[in-house]
Amino acid sequence: MALETWLIKVKTAITHSIDSVTTKPTTRKTNVGVLAFEIAGLMSKLLNLWQSLSDKNIVRIRNESVSLEGVRKIVSNDESFLLGIACAELVENIRHVAKAVSRLSKRCEDSNLRSFDRAFDEFANTGRADHSAVGNWVLSWKEMEIKNKKMDRYVTVTAALYKEMEELTTLQNSLRKCSQCSSSSNNDHDSNSVKEQKIIDLQHKICWQKQEVKHLRDISLWVRSFDSIVSMIARSTFTILARTKLAFGLGINYNYPNSLPRSLSASATVHPSSDHQNPNNFVSGPLVVKLEDPSYKENISGFFESNSNLLKPPPSTLGAAALALHYANLIIVMEKMIKSPQLVGVDARDDLYSMLPNSIRGALRARLKGVGFTATDPVLAGEWRMALGRILGWLSPLAHNMIKWQNERSFEQQNMVPKTNVLLFQTLFFANKEKTEAAITELLVGLNYIWRFEREMTAKALFECNNNNNIVDGLLSLQNSQIIS
């Protein structure tokens, strides 16, 4: 009886243990999957943003970009204003990346990651964030460099995966077409054997290609934990924003986390003025942005809103008139014509004139009023060439930068990483409309003279050549008549 009771107890214990195992919920972590390609694009943008905030690029902005002659002539010679635009553009790029990260974070199982947008906005506006959520949101410099190497590897492998998957799709489509052709072909034995061999070859290629795709999937973002990858890009976004604030001296009264490096290793030339008080004990000092515009006050309208307001062009600029890209194309066309005026035909000249807005046409007519129809002075033509070269020397870089900047932000390129470090203030977007139109008008007046000079010199050369030919023909005719007589 005692044995029977003991057996019943053992059976009951085993049953309960089995039930507990079977009813226990299985927590399976979600992988990145097909979102790997989108996340790889975000990682590429984060890597590019981090690179743009390196000491080398910060020094370049301070010493080279802000000092461009064209920027000083038609954009602004106020260094603080230019640095403010550069900072605002970088912050706007960070904001766009953060929006994408926020959308991905909503899919996370971790509730702390799902609150990324709230924590990020709090950090942007106040310099503080809830670090108890997922540890320290802001990475140290060493940690960020380690993450960057890992993200760079993920981006490279995921890009290779995308390429191999496209190749696999191409091979499968080819196999499908060959199979259809084989089933609908005639009974020609030789033709069928060739098609069958081609099908076999494609099947072998597809088999190898599937193995390559599987291998790349296993080492790419595809099989990684979704939460861990989102955590990586979320913390990188925090760190990049903190680095931007540090580099440009924004919100320097806020208490940054200790993990953020408090000094830039660049030389003291980064700092715009030697007498600036440095409350955070920077080694070289940040690119301090001194703007008196009330819209820039962070605590009034929010950090991102304030920076977005800085990117709104003033009414006197080409950006406000929506003419920046058009004038950039116009300047590039004139640049080509000025380099080879002898190759410019009448039709090309008319096409150029049709590109001019009414304001430049009126200014051009006023400048050309009273000008003679002849252009035969080689000294004056040489002076005009030198003058046009000087104007293009500072105006042309802004026009080319405008085209590069626009192309990198076109719809087709929006998911790709910018290949240049062109900033908006280095383009015609913030250029003064009146000053730019005056420079374009000067180019048109000079081009008009050297174009007519080249045509008249060419016509004169042809006329002299024809005269010489007529003289030679006359002498030959006279000589022939003398011989006959």
Side-chain angles (χ1 to χ4, degrees):
M1 187 69 181
L3 179 62
E4 184 179 355
T5 304
W6 180 79
L7 289 174
I8 292 172
K9 288 181 179 180
V10 170
K11 181 180 178 182
T12 305
I14 293 174
T15 304
H16 281 306
S17 63
I18 292 174
D19 290 342
S20 63
V21 170
T22 56
T23 59
K24 185 177 180 180
T26 57
T27 57
R28 181 185 177 185
K29 292 185 177 180
T30 306
N31 292 337
V32 173
V34 72
L35 290 174
F37 305 116
E38 180 183 352
I39 293 176
L42 280 177
M43 286 182 171
S44 296
K45 292 179 181 179
L46 288 169
L47 290 169
N48 184 69
L49 283 170
W50 182 254
Q51 181 62 32
S52 66
L53 291 166
S54 66
D55 290 345
K56 180 180 177 181
N57 277 324
I58 294 297
V59 172
R60 182 185 61 83
I61 292 173
R62 172 64 180 85
N63 293 344
E64 298 176 17
S65 302
V66 172
S67 303
L68 285 175
E69 186 180 1
V71 172
R72 294 286 185 176
K73 280 183 178 293
I74 61 175
V75 177
S76 176
N77 56 9
D78 184 349
E79 188 172 289
S80 295
F81 172 74
L82 298 174
L83 292 177
I85 294 174
C87 176
E89 184 177 3
L90 288 171
V91 169
E92 187 70 6
N93 292 337
I94 295 171
R95 186 177 72 85
H96 286 305
V97 172
K99 286 177 64 177
V101 175
S102 175
R103 179 169 46 79
L104 290 171
S105 68
K106 301 300 182 185
R107 297 169 172 258
C108 292
E109 297 174 3
D110 190 339
S111 59
N112 294 318
L113 286 173
R114 290 200 298 270
S115 64
F116 164 82
D117 52 350
R118 179 189 57 78
F120 191 71
D121 286 339
E122 180 186 353
F123 179 73
N125 294 329
T126 67
R128 296 181 295 273
D130 183 10
H131 303 300
S132 62
V134 287
N136 196 344
W137 282 106
V138 181
L139 302 169
S140 67
W141 184 275
K142 184 177 180 180
E143 289 174 329
M144 187 63 181
E145 289 299 318
I146 293 173
K147 297 293 184 185
N148 282 345
K149 290 179 181 179
K150 187 177 290 187
M151 287 195 294
D152 186 55
R153 185 169 65 252
Y154 280 145
V155 168
T156 302
V157 174
T158 305
L161 172 63
Y162 182 81
K163 181 180 178 182
E164 296 302 327
M165 288 178 72
E166 281 194 326
E167 180 65 22
L168 177 61
T169 302
T170 302
L171 289 173
Q172 289 173 336
N173 290 335
S174 298
L175 177 62
R176 191 178 301 110
K177 290 179 181 178
C178 286
S179 300
Q180 291 174 353
C181 292
S182 177
S183 60
S184 61
S185 61
N186 52 28
N187 295 325
D188 187 356
H189 179 72
D190 294 336
S191 177
N192 288 337
S193 61
V194 170
K195 290 179 181 179
E196 288 176 359
Q197 184 61 42
K198 187 176 181 181
I199 290 174
I200 293 172
D201 292 340
L202 283 172
Q203 289 173 339
H204 287 162
K205 288 181 180 180
I206 289 173
C207 182
W208 284 106
Q209 193 67 24
K210 284 182 177 180
Q211 293 181 9
E212 180 66 17
V213 168
K214 183 180 182 303
H215 168 69
L216 290 174
R217 276 186 180 179
D218 292 341
I219 61 174
S220 71
L221 287 168
W222 193 283
V223 298
R224 297 296 176 267
S225 166
F226 186 80
D227 278 28
S228 64
I229 294 299
V230 172
S231 176
M232 180 190 297
I233 60 177
R235 297 178 74 188
S236 298
T237 308
F238 264 89
T239 308
I240 290 171
L241 177 60
R243 171 69 176 175
T244 304
K245 285 193 169 190
L246 180 73
F248 286 89
L250 298 178
I252 55 180
N253 293 324
Y254 298 145
N255 296 319
Y256 284 103
N258 293 327
S259 62
L260 183 68
R262 290 181 174 272
S263 63
L264 300 174
S265 59
S267 64
T269 55
V270 176
H271 200 282
S273 60
S274 58
D275 58 348
H276 178 76
Q277 297 298 320
N278 193 353
N280 272 356
N281 297 320
F282 292 96
V283 170
S284 60
L287 290 175
V288 177
V289 181
K290 304 173 185 176
L291 292 176
E292 304 299 330
D293 189 348
S295 65
Y296 191 74
K297 302 301 182 181
E298 297 174 18
N299 292 331
I300 295 177
S301 58
F303 178 75
F304 290 113
E305 291 78 6
S306 301
N307 281 277
S308 296
N309 290 336
L310 285 177
L311 294 177
K312 294 178 181 178
S316 60
T317 61
L318 294 178
L323 287 171
L325 188 60
H326 180 72
Y327 278 17
N329 287 314
L330 178 62
I331 292 167
I332 292 173
V333 170
M334 287 191 294
E335 181 183 26
K336 294 177 181 178
M337 290 184 171
I338 290 170
K339 287 181 179 179
S340 304
Q342 70 279 4
L343 301 179
V344 179
V346 177
D347 291 340
R349 187 167 175 261
D350 293 340
D351 291 339
L352 175 63
Y353 186 78
S354 65
M355 293 176 66
L356 304 180
N358 293 331
S359 55
I360 294 183
R361 290 187 185 187
L364 182 61
R365 281 194 295 267
R367 287 291 306 276
L368 294 178
K369 188 178 295 184
V371 176
F373 290 99
T374 59
T376 57
D377 188 349
V379 176
L380 182 58
E383 291 176 352
W384 267 118
R385 285 194 179 92
M386 292 178 61
L388 297 180
R390 286 194 296 269
I391 296 173
L392 287 174
W394 58 263
L395 185 60
S396 175
L398 300 188
H400 286 280
N401 284 345
M402 186 74 250
I403 301 297
K404 291 177 185 176
W405 189 93
Q406 184 66 32
N407 288 341
E408 288 177 352
R409 287 152 183 83
S410 64
F411 180 78
E412 292 80 5
Q413 303 290 330
Q414 64 181 357
N415 291 322
M416 300 181 68
V417 181
K419 296 180 176 58
T420 64
N421 288 319
V422 175
L423 294 171
L424 193 56
F425 76 86
Q426 298 171 275
T427 70
L428 294 173
F429 190 78
F430 283 96
N432 181 272
K433 182 173 180 289
E434 185 178 345
K435 292 179 180 179
T436 307
E437 289 184 347
I440 292 175
T441 302
E442 195 71 13
L443 289 176
L444 290 168
V445 173
L447 176 60
N448 175 68
Y449 188 87
I450 63 173
W451 180 77
R452 288 190 293 115
F453 175 79
E454 290 293 338
R455 285 180 65 87
E456 292 191 16
M457 291 300 101
T458 302
K460 182 179 179 181
L462 290 174
F463 179 76
E464 291 176 352
C465 182
N466 290 331
N467 284 342
N468 291 334
N469 290 335
N470 291 334
I471 292 173
V472 171
D473 291 341
L475 291 174
L476 289 175
S477 298
L478 179 62
Q479 185 177 3
N480 290 335
S481 62
Q482 289 177 351
I483 290 174
I484 293 172
S485 62

